[in-house]
Amino acid sequence: MSFSQVWKQHFFTFAVVLMRISFGVGWLLAGITKITDKGWFRQPSVFLRHYLETALTKPHVPQLYKQFIKQMCLPYVDLYNYVIPCVQIAVGILLIVGLFTLPSILICLFMHINFILSGNMNVISLVLYTSSFGLLLCGTRTYILSLDRLWRGVSSFTQTSSATVSGILFQKKIDNY
């Protein structure tokens, strides 16, 4: 098998691992930035309350979501002030090391849906939202170089080799660990 064949065969797998780790780094930095630069812990609830109150004034935020903000978010803004950055940091670390990958991606999707519904529609949000769906669609390739694969035995890096014996095509599944 030539280098170009190996490269073509494993490039997508490498890209998926890189996307999972980059996605995790993005979430980790988002949580750290909220704590250090934006002062979520120094001035509790100031930034988040302003963000939510601004979302209530935006015309393109769905009415149902505005009710959700009024009923569920604003009364508990102090709790969310501490939960959001901590969850972002935890999810970032989990994605980087590849532990609880599927639940972490689903949490990311939930948070992205909330960001988008609150009127935070920008290129970064859309790229991250698309990346999380991309990771979901990659199947077992998401678990390559991950603790999930190591501890749970998630079979990945599988490839099919073909051999012809007297005109009959046989396929053999090979697991590369």
Side-chain angles (χ1 to χ4, degrees):
M1 190 181 272
S2 71
F3 176 75
S4 64
Q5 289 172 327
V6 171
W7 176 254
K8 288 177 186 175
Q9 189 171 14
H10 295 295
F11 175 74
F12 181 71
T13 303
F14 172 75
V16 170
V17 172
L18 184 63
M19 185 168 60
R20 187 196 77 224
I21 292 171
S22 300
F23 193 55
V25 169
W27 278 100
L28 178 65
L29 292 177
I32 290 172
T33 302
K34 282 182 179 60
I35 293 171
T36 57
D37 293 346
K38 294 183 180 177
W40 279 44
F41 287 4
R42 283 192 315 265
Q43 300 172 338
S45 308
V46 172
F47 178 81
L48 186 57
R49 182 175 302 278
H50 180 266
Y51 178 83
L52 293 171
E53 288 171 350
T54 304
L56 291 174
T57 63
K58 295 180 180 177
H60 56 278
V61 174
Q63 198 61 33
L64 181 65
Y65 197 74
K66 287 181 180 181
Q67 288 301 319
F68 173 75
I69 290 172
K70 288 178 190 174
Q71 301 296 321
M72 297 300 294
C73 296
L74 284 174
Y76 305 104
V77 73
D78 294 333
L79 173 68
Y80 293 129
N81 185 72
Y82 294 102
V83 169
I84 290 172
C86 292
V87 168
Q88 287 178 327
I89 291 170
V91 164
I93 292 170
L94 290 173
L95 285 170
I96 291 168
V97 299
L99 185 61
F100 303 116
T101 306
L102 181 60
S104 298
I105 293 170
L106 294 174
I107 290 169
C108 292
L109 276 173
F110 174 75
M111 291 179 75
H112 278 300
I113 289 169
N114 281 293
F115 293 150
I116 290 170
L117 285 174
S118 67
N120 189 9
M121 183 67 75
N122 58 31
V123 174
I124 294 172
S125 293
L126 290 176
V127 167
L128 291 174
Y129 186 70
T130 306
S131 296
S132 56
F133 267 114
L135 287 172
L136 282 178
L137 295 175
C138 289
T140 58
R141 286 188 171 107
T142 307
Y143 297 106
I144 295 171
L145 296 176
S146 72
L147 291 178
D148 281 337
R149 180 170 173 248
L150 180 69
W151 288 345
R152 295 187 186 150
V154 176
S155 178
S156 56
F157 238 137
T158 57
Q159 65 186 23
T160 305
S161 73
S162 301
T164 306
V165 178
S166 65
I168 300 172
L169 181 67
F170 291 96
Q171 290 189 339
K172 178 182 171 189
K173 194 169 189 176
I174 301 170
D175 287 332
N176 297 327
Y177 290 96

